[in-house]
Amino acid sequence: MGAKRDAYEYDVCFSFAGEQRPYVREVADGLTKMGVRVFYDTDETAELWGKDLYEHLDHIYREASRYCVIFVSTEYRKKIWTNHERKSAQARAIREVSEYILPARFDDTKIPGLRETMGFIDLRSTTPDELKGLILKKLGKPISRAPIARTKASPAPKSKYKPWGFRTGNTMWGTILGSPAATDESVYVASRDNRVYALDAATGRLRWSSQRWPSQISPPITLRDMVYMSLSPARWKSGGIFGLSMSNGMVTWTHEINVPIETSPELAGNALYVTGSNGTVFAIGAGAKRCRWKQQVGNRFLSPPKVLGKRLYVGSENGIIHALETSKGRELWRYKTNGSIRSPLAAANGVVIAVSMSDGIYAIDAESGELHWRIKSFGTFCSPTIHDGVCYIANDREYVHAVDLVDGNSRWIYPVHGGVGPLNAPTVSNDMLYVGTMAGYVYALRLEDGGWEWSRKARSQISSKVTVANGMIYLCSSDGVYAINAETGMGGLRQTS
């Protein structure tokens, strides 16, 4: 960034109305402490004294800054000086090849020259610290909100396995779906070509591939010597739960369910729980021939159920969280959120965490169904992960959050490149947090303070949770399956900083 940075007097200039000064001041102070050169008018009082402000501000907003953040508000549109700053910035933007104006909105006021199609940051759901992080990322400066004091995390166990990569060989339909299921000997994955692949955990060598199924299959799960996956019915074949032999991939058990299934089964004890997209929940004995119970409780389920103790929790497309008995399927309570639920729930320590699309995060008492706390957000969050009283979650706005399970207060935030999808839940292992992003990055962060340990770049996006086993990280990128060392991140991926 050296030559580019030195070409400007300021890394970023701010254009805002005085009514929003408290928010903007917090952002400016935080950036200044990080070594960013910010044009923020109260910091320039002596510099501005006696100058022709009309001419000087035109220079600042037209020539002297690398980026210009415009803080949009009703008050902003009414001010004489903010309109002068905006026009100067727009004159610069016209001749720029790359973006120059970075809009940030306090409200939906229309500003002349700022098209509605221009990407913006919604400050109604973005804290000053989060905005500071976004600006730093735009400038190409790495950051962490983690405390400076560093304690050494427990290292990932040394692995005797070597890094490897595997591709199905089908460039059009060979995309790997969901998270890998790993044992000491094998890694099992599902592909868009409707096959299950078993790979040697140590070498990535293909052990077997299953028959080709008539419709899309779910990511697999394992129990003892079986690999289980779900299949929606095709026009000429029934759907349901299928059990494959770990040794050769042959089907040794089936349970027909003739309703559409869009999720993997949930395994608890010796039972498999699965949701149908018609709103029905099924409880099936693993390897058994009969259905223990089925219960229609919702309109459509796009996420698998979650079992905690003797209860099962599931979120529906219409935003309702249902609590059922695992023994008989009797509904115990329901809670209505304000958006659809498409990410898997998390449940631990007597709390159920649900992500409601474009609405926020809900913490519900697992026993009573009462709301503990809520974090309102307009972004998209992945499925949460709960560990030792902390909820770890990431969003499409390129942040990983550690939130206290009791009160929802933030413990730390770390910016990642590319954001996450609904299935990119963080994975916790050996005092470390691992998460993959839609831009293809894998991050290893310390649980205690969110500090960065390493990051790696895959060849394409990662749209599911990574699996940690055998001292290795097994991940599904859109072009294949990869195994990288959990301690160092070394493997067949490119190193990042």
Side-chain angles (χ1 to χ4, degrees):
M1 192 178 85
K4 184 81 172 177
R5 174 185 171 94
D6 293 341
Y8 299 107
E9 297 173 44
Y10 300 98
D11 295 309
V12 62
C13 60
F14 289 167
S15 179
F16 62 96
E19 286 80 358
Q20 283 77 48
R21 185 175 296 281
Y23 184 105
V24 178
R25 180 191 295 120
E26 191 171 342
V27 179
D29 288 348
L31 289 172
T32 300
K33 290 176 182 177
M34 297 293 294
V36 177
R37 301 169 304 177
V38 183
F39 179 80
Y40 172 70
D41 55 9
T42 57
D43 292 336
E44 304 286 337
T45 302
E47 177 68 20
L48 296 175
W49 191 12
K51 288 186 179 291
D52 181 337
L53 292 183
Y54 189 92
E55 181 179 323
H56 183 68
L57 292 177
D58 178 70
H59 169 71
I60 295 295
Y61 290 93
R62 188 194 295 259
E63 305 289 348
S65 305
R66 183 178 173 192
Y67 291 112
C68 174
V69 178
I70 291 182
F71 292 85
V72 176
S73 66
T74 301
E75 296 81 6
Y76 183 92
R77 178 166 179 153
K78 296 176 181 178
K79 306 283 184 177
I80 294 175
W81 284 108
T82 55
N83 277 284
H84 171 57
E85 295 162 0
R86 170 183 59 81
K87 290 176 182 178
S88 296
Q90 288 172 333
R92 156 78 174 277
I94 289 174
R95 71 171 192 263
E96 285 287 316
V97 176
S98 59
E99 65 274 9
Y100 169 62
I101 294 176
L102 307 177
R105 289 187 170 275
F106 286 104
D107 56 39
D108 296 323
T109 301
K110 293 184 177 180
I111 302 297
L114 291 186
R115 296 187 297 275
E116 295 182 4
T117 55
M118 180 180 286
F120 66 90
I121 301 300
D122 193 330
L123 301 180
R124 290 164 290 195
S125 58
T126 304
T127 66
D129 208 41
E130 288 176 327
L131 182 63
K132 180 194 76 174
L134 292 170
I135 293 171
L136 285 168
K137 284 178 68 66
K138 197 72 176 177
L139 292 169
K141 297 176 71 66
I143 68 163
S144 174
R145 285 186 70 252
I148 295 175
R150 171 172 174 161
T151 58
K152 183 63 178 174
S154 300
K158 299 287 184 182
S159 179
K160 61 183 179 181
Y161 295 169
K162 301 296 183 183
W164 51 259
F166 173 83
R167 299 187 186 186
T168 64
N170 187 329
T171 56
M172 180 174 294
W173 296 106
T175 301
I176 304 299
L177 303 169
S179 301
T183 67
D184 291 344
E185 293 80 26
S186 300
V187 176
Y188 303 93
V189 295
S191 173
R192 196 176 295 278
D193 65 5
N194 300 343
R195 298 179 189 272
V196 175
Y197 291 84
L199 312 173
D200 188 282
T203 65
R205 178 181 56 83
L206 178 66
R207 296 186 58 211
W208 53 257
S209 61
S210 73
Q211 68 181 61
R212 186 170 183 175
W213 303 90
S215 59
Q216 187 169 303
I217 56 180
S218 75
I221 60 174
T222 59
L223 175 65
R224 294 190 286 273
D225 59 350
M226 297 280 284
V227 180
Y228 293 97
M229 56 88 177
S230 60
L231 172 73
S232 281
R235 266 182 280 177
W236 64 94
K237 290 218 175 178
S238 301
I241 308 297
F242 292 77
L244 283 60
S245 168
M246 281 188 175
S247 62
N248 57 22
M250 299 299 293
V251 176
T252 60
W253 174 84
T254 62
H255 189 97
E256 289 189 6
I257 300 175
N258 290 314
V259 300
I261 302 171
E262 300 184 51
T263 68
S264 297
E266 165 81 351
L267 179 63
N270 287 318
L272 294 163
Y273 300 92
V274 66
T275 53
S277 57
N278 68 342
T280 304
V281 183
F282 298 85
I284 304 161
K289 292 295 183 184
R290 66 182 183 87
C291 179
R292 293 185 178 181
W293 55 260
K294 65 178 179 178
Q295 192 74 264
Q296 179 144 9
V297 294
N299 66 335
R300 188 185 184 195
F301 294 126
L302 296 176
S303 66
K306 184 67 179 178
V307 174
L308 177 62
K310 296 181 179 180
R311 296 192 176 193
L312 175 149
Y313 305 92
V314 62
S316 68
E317 175 74 5
N318 62 357
I320 297 176
I321 304 165
H322 304 267
L324 309 175
E325 289 180 332
T326 55
S327 58
K328 297 181 179 178
R330 182 172 65 93
E331 187 170 20
L332 301 172
W333 55 257
R334 59 175 59 187
Y335 184 93
K336 180 73 170 69
T337 71
N338 296 323
S340 63
I341 299 174
R342 299 178 183 177
S343 300
L345 307 179
N349 304 102
V351 178
V352 178
I353 303 292
V355 174
S356 187
M357 292 287 291
S358 299
D359 180 48
I361 307 167
Y362 288 77
I364 310 296
D365 187 277
E367 182 72 21
S368 66
E370 296 178 353
L371 180 68
H372 278 322
W373 50 263
R374 176 189 174 198
I375 299 175
K376 188 172 178 60
S377 174
F378 296 101
T380 297
F381 284 83
C382 71
S383 174
T385 296
I386 299 174
H387 179 77
D388 281 350
V390 181
C391 174
Y392 299 96
I393 195 162
N395 65 6
D396 62 349
R397 297 189 175 191
E398 305 190 340
Y399 279 91
V400 178
H401 303 251
V403 177
D404 193 282
L405 195 60
V406 174
D407 54 21
N409 289 333
S410 177
R411 291 198 175 189
W412 54 258
I413 299 175
Y414 190 88
V416 295
H417 181 64
V420 302
L423 301 179
N424 289 64
T427 300
V428 172
S429 180
N430 296 295
D431 296 328
M432 297 295 294
L433 186 81
Y434 303 96
V435 64
T437 75
M438 299 298 282
Y441 288 83
V442 186
Y443 286 84
L445 308 175
R446 297 189 300 274
L447 286 183
E448 183 177 23
D449 58 11
W452 178 91
E453 284 292 320
W454 56 259
S455 58
R456 300 283 286 171
K457 177 71 169 68
R459 292 179 175 85
S460 55
Q461 72 177 22
I462 302 167
S463 55
S464 61
K465 182 177 180 178
V466 302
T467 299
V468 182
N470 311 317
M472 303 295 287
I473 295 173
Y474 301 104
L475 63 94
C476 294
S477 184
S478 59
D479 70 336
V481 188
Y482 296 93
I484 61 177
N485 188 281
E487 182 182 14
T488 64
M490 298 306 293
L493 311 175
R494 296 192 297 274
Q495 177 69 48
T496 67
S497 59

